[in-house]
């Protein structure tokens, strides 16, 4: 009998026997394969924030997004880095690269916060205006815009820093050109308008770091509170299924962004997972033919399970 005939007989026998598949795969972390991610650099990104447009809640997407592994906060006066997020308290710290600190003082731009945004200034902020003209409206006795006693504590502390020379003042200059701004949120649109206030620079201290007498240990940045009431059961179900909450369409309706890259209106259960080429799991396949077991190892490129 020819070898060709033998091959057909063997194939017929195999096709006639019951076949059972057993697949075992090594478990690897599965990255989000779509446009949304749960981190930005080393910063965890959780709802209502998102790593890009279409991620998180739409009311937050215009203010917070990931750019080159840095989570950024945008306002009408600039783009600021987010250095901390406390999801438990619903607060975050943003830093202005042009804001003065004890180690480095320079001419600053203004700062504003959109009144319609889901963010507000926290009570921890101590805004300080530096290098102000003696004719500044800050010093109008009828307005009381500067906090009482500010010149003897916070202002003297900042003017003792060597960095004050960066705004043209000598170290330990008189605090007559400094003002601890009493309440920035009283301004329309939460705006610190430095040209209008005739000041060279500003800074914000959100913590004295346990040492009020040492400005080198003070923590500089702007502390914001965000509205945490956007979290819903729909988003909770999405996250429980391994997805990330986002939005889609002209109506910006809710979307659950799955690890497979698919969007659903509910959750990712039954939607499958996407493995990247660098994390292809090794699949061991066992075929049982009428009591005979054949096994092989292979790399299985799968789009879905």
């Amino acid at each position: 009998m020819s070898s060709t005939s033998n091959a057909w007989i063997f194939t017929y026998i195999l096709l006639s026997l019951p076949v059972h598949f057993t697949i075992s795969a090594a478990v690897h972390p599965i990255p989000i394969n779509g446009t949304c991610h749960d981190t930005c650099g080393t910063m965890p990104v959780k709802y209502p924030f998102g790593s890009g447009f279409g991620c998180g809640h739409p009311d937050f997407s215009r203010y917070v997004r990931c750019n080159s592994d840095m989570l950024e906060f945008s306002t009408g006066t600039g783009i600021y880095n987010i250095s901390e997020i406390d999801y438990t308290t619903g607060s975050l710290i943003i830093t202005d690269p042009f804001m003065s600190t004890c180690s480095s003082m320079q001419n600053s731009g203004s700062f504003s916060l959109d009144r319609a945004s889901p963010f507000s200034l926290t009570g921890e902020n101590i805004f300080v205006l530096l290098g102000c003209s003696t004719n500044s409206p800050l010093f109008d006795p009828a307005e009381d815009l500067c906090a009482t006693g500010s010149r003897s504590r916070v202002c003297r502390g900042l003017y003792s820093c060597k960095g004050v020379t960066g705004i043209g003042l000598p170290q330990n200059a008189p605090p007559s050109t400094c003002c601890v701004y009493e309440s920035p949120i009283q301004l329309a649109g939460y705006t610190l308008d430095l040209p209008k206030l005739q000041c060279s620079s500003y800074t914000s201290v959100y913590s004295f770091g346990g040492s009020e007498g040492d400005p080198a240990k003070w923590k500089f940045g702007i502390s914001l509170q965000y509205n945490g009431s956007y979290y819903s059961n729909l988003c909770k179900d999405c996250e429980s299924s391994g997805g990330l909450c986002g939005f889609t369409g002209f109506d910006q309706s809710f979307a659950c962004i799955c690890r497979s890259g698919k969007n659903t209106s509910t959750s990712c259960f039954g939607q499958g997972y996407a493995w990247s080429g660098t994390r292809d799991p090794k699949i061991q396949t066992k075929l049982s033919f009428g009591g005979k077991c054949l096994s092989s190892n292979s790399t299985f490129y799968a789009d879905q399970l």
Side-chain angles (χ1 to χ4, degrees):
M1 186 179 295
S2 68
S3 59
T4 303
S5 299
N6 287 332
W8 278 107
I9 293 172
F10 181 70
T11 302
Y12 176 78
I13 293 173
L14 290 180
L15 295 176
S16 300
L17 293 173
V19 180
H20 305 281
F21 291 92
T22 302
I23 299 178
S24 59
V27 178
H28 296 284
I30 302 172
I32 298 298
N33 211 32
T35 58
C36 297
H37 303 271
D38 55 7
T39 59
C40 177
T42 59
M43 181 82 67
V45 179
K46 300 180 182 180
Y47 195 80
F49 304 126
S51 59
F53 187 78
C55 309
H57 193 280
D59 287 357
F60 289 81
S61 65
R62 61 175 292 192
Y63 299 102
V64 176
R65 68 179 55 190
C66 185
N67 182 29
S68 299
D69 289 335
M70 178 63 67
L71 203 59
E72 295 180 338
F73 181 86
S74 299
T75 75
T77 49
I79 298 176
Y80 310 91
N81 293 334
I82 298 177
S83 58
E84 299 177 30
I85 300 180
D86 189 331
Y87 290 99
T88 303
T89 61
S91 61
L92 65 154
I93 304 297
I94 64 174
T95 55
D96 182 347
F98 298 105
M99 176 192 294
S100 288
T101 65
C102 185
S103 60
S104 175
M105 296 189 190
Q106 56 190 323
N107 292 334
S108 308
S110 300
F111 173 77
S112 69
L113 189 63
D114 183 1
R115 186 181 293 275
S117 78
F119 298 91
S120 59
L121 295 166
T122 69
E124 284 76 19
N125 295 296
I126 299 175
F127 280 89
V128 189
L129 301 170
L130 307 167
C132 302
S133 167
T134 55
N135 295 320
S136 169
L138 290 169
F139 305 125
D140 185 342
E143 297 294 337
D144 291 328
L145 295 176
C146 298
T148 303
S150 64
R151 296 180 184 178
S152 63
R153 186 167 64 94
V154 178
C155 284
R156 287 190 184 278
L158 287 170
Y159 276 16
S160 71
C161 298
K162 293 182 179 180
V164 75
T165 58
I167 56 173
L169 295 174
Q171 191 175 2
N172 295 312
S176 57
T177 62
C178 174
C179 172
V180 173
Y181 198 52
E182 182 68 37
S183 182
I185 62 175
Q186 290 180 352
L187 292 180
Y190 302 167
T191 300
L192 278 175
D193 189 337
L194 263 65
K196 181 177 180 181
L197 297 174
Q198 301 176 31
C199 298
S200 300
S201 184
Y202 85 95
T203 189
S204 175
V205 180
Y206 67 90
S207 172
F208 289 115
S211 182
E212 291 193 25
D214 187 357
K217 295 182 180 179
W218 296 355
K219 295 183 178 181
F220 297 90
I222 301 173
S223 176
L224 301 178
Q225 192 81 29
Y226 65 87
N227 189 338
S229 64
Y230 291 80
Y231 197 68
S232 64
N233 288 332
L234 196 59
C235 181
K236 182 178 179 180
D237 292 342
C238 172
E239 292 178 341
S240 297
S241 69
L244 294 176
C245 304
F247 57 95
T248 187
F250 290 107
D251 60 350
Q252 298 185 329
S253 58
F254 175 83
C256 184
I257 315 299
C258 302
R259 297 174 186 260
S260 62
K262 291 185 177 181
N263 295 356
T264 77
S265 59
T266 53
S267 71
C268 296
F269 289 121
Q271 297 301 317
Y273 295 94
W275 287 314
S276 71
T278 58
R279 300 193 182 205
D280 298 320
K282 300 295 183 179
I283 302 297
Q284 184 181 65
T285 308
K286 294 182 178 180
L287 291 80
S288 178
F289 298 97
K292 299 291 184 179
C293 182
L294 302 176
S295 64
S296 63
N297 291 317
S298 62
T299 300
F300 181 63
Y301 295 86
D303 289 329
Q304 294 186 16
L305 283 181

